[in-house]
Amino acid sequence: NLLNANENLKDKKMKILLLGATGSLESFVIEELLKNENAELILYVRNPAKAKKFENKRIKIVEGDANDTANLTAALQGVDAVYAGLAGDLVNLANSVVSAMKQAGVKRIVWITSYGIYGEADRSGTPPSSYINSAKIIENSGLDYTLIRPQWFSSVDEVNYEVTHRHEKFKNPNAQISRKSIAHLVGRCIYENFGLQDSLGINRP
């Protein structure tokens, strides 16, 4: 059963599990997701000490490696959506996450990848093959996925972005996108089912 695109989930209690929650983007994603007072977050991290600063009554920290499919499956019980901003062996990580989500019966995932994975940006060279191949795994997973393809990150304090879709040319490839803008898009994807079964390029106009 596919979720209804753009159905607003903000009024429903939601449990969201975050993978890669100690990266440079994720503090912005956490802040954005917590704007919904009905949301509870689970930060699934290898190093809980790094995530300790986020702990509060709506944030639970669970120690684990996303490559540990059994442990991840256990952590996913009762979860409504997954956010993944992972680094490392992305192909193995994607396979593990998809397998765990299927075993736990969780359908919704927002996966951060890189712009240029389809050759859709005028940039010299393509991203590492691990970005391209892990994105394919998510796209072929049968899950309710959204891929987000950001350009290079910036720390500018602004929400200013536009979105392109899978078969559209990536816009403004030489600009930088604020982490706050990416986090805002993640919130729309999770709470409004924006970008369902789609791959969204995000760039600064």
Side-chain angles (χ1 to χ4, degrees):
N1 252 15
L2 264 183
L3 296 160
N4 293 328
N6 301 322
E7 179 193 352
N8 199 322
L9 303 176
K10 273 194 172 159
D11 300 329
K12 297 180 181 174
K13 269 207 173 314
M14 277 195 86
K15 196 174 278 189
I16 304 157
L17 183 134
L18 285 80
L19 299 168
T22 55
S24 72
L25 173 59
E26 282 62 43
S27 58
F28 294 90
V29 171
I30 289 166
E31 188 182 344
E32 184 68 33
L33 294 178
L34 284 178
K35 287 179 183 174
N36 175 4
E37 291 174 4
N38 292 310
E40 289 178 16
L41 309 185
I42 298 168
L43 310 187
Y44 185 86
V45 291
R46 281 182 304 188
N47 185 347
K50 279 189 177 174
K52 197 87 181 129
K53 62 186 176 189
F54 297 121
E55 204 165 25
N56 69 33
K57 66 179 192 296
R58 290 201 287 137
I59 295 182
K60 181 180 168 191
I61 294 166
V62 174
E63 183 174 1
D65 188 318
N67 277 311
D68 183 342
T69 310
N71 200 46
L72 181 55
T73 303
L76 282 166
Q77 300 305 312
V79 164
D80 299 293
V82 173
Y83 162 86
L86 292 163
D89 186 345
L90 290 172
V91 169
N92 277 343
L93 287 164
N95 279 320
S96 178
V97 170
V98 168
S99 176
M101 286 180 66
K102 287 184 171 177
Q103 289 177 57
V106 181
K107 293 284 284 179
R108 185 73 174 114
I109 183 167
V110 176
W111 180 275
I112 304 292
T113 180
S114 170
Y115 81 113
I117 59 171
Y118 311 115
E120 80 284 16
D122 296 321
R123 59 185 278 189
S124 54
T126 52
S129 62
S130 60
Y131 282 97
I132 296 166
N133 294 329
S134 56
K136 281 181 186 161
I137 290 164
I138 301 300
E139 286 175 310
N140 295 326
S141 65
L143 297 172
D144 292 337
Y145 71 86
T146 304
L147 295 180
I148 295 180
R149 292 173 281 118
Q151 59 199 168
W152 301 108
F153 299 169
S154 83
S155 296
V156 179
D157 184 12
E158 66 175 14
V159 174
N160 180 21
Y161 66 92
E162 60 185 343
V163 165
T164 46
H165 300 275
R166 182 183 280 103
H167 300 298
E168 295 174 356
K169 204 153 185 57
F170 192 92
K171 292 182 183 176
N172 205 5
N174 298 318
Q176 293 190 336
I177 186 76
S178 71
R179 291 175 176 85
K180 197 177 247 191
S181 295
I182 302 167
H184 187 272
L185 178 57
V186 170
R188 287 172 66 195
C189 290
I190 288 179
Y191 295 136
E192 300 170 28
N193 283 325
F194 181 71
L196 209 52
Q197 307 294 102
D198 201 353
S199 175
L200 306 176
I202 175 172
N203 65 275
R204 191 176 192 277

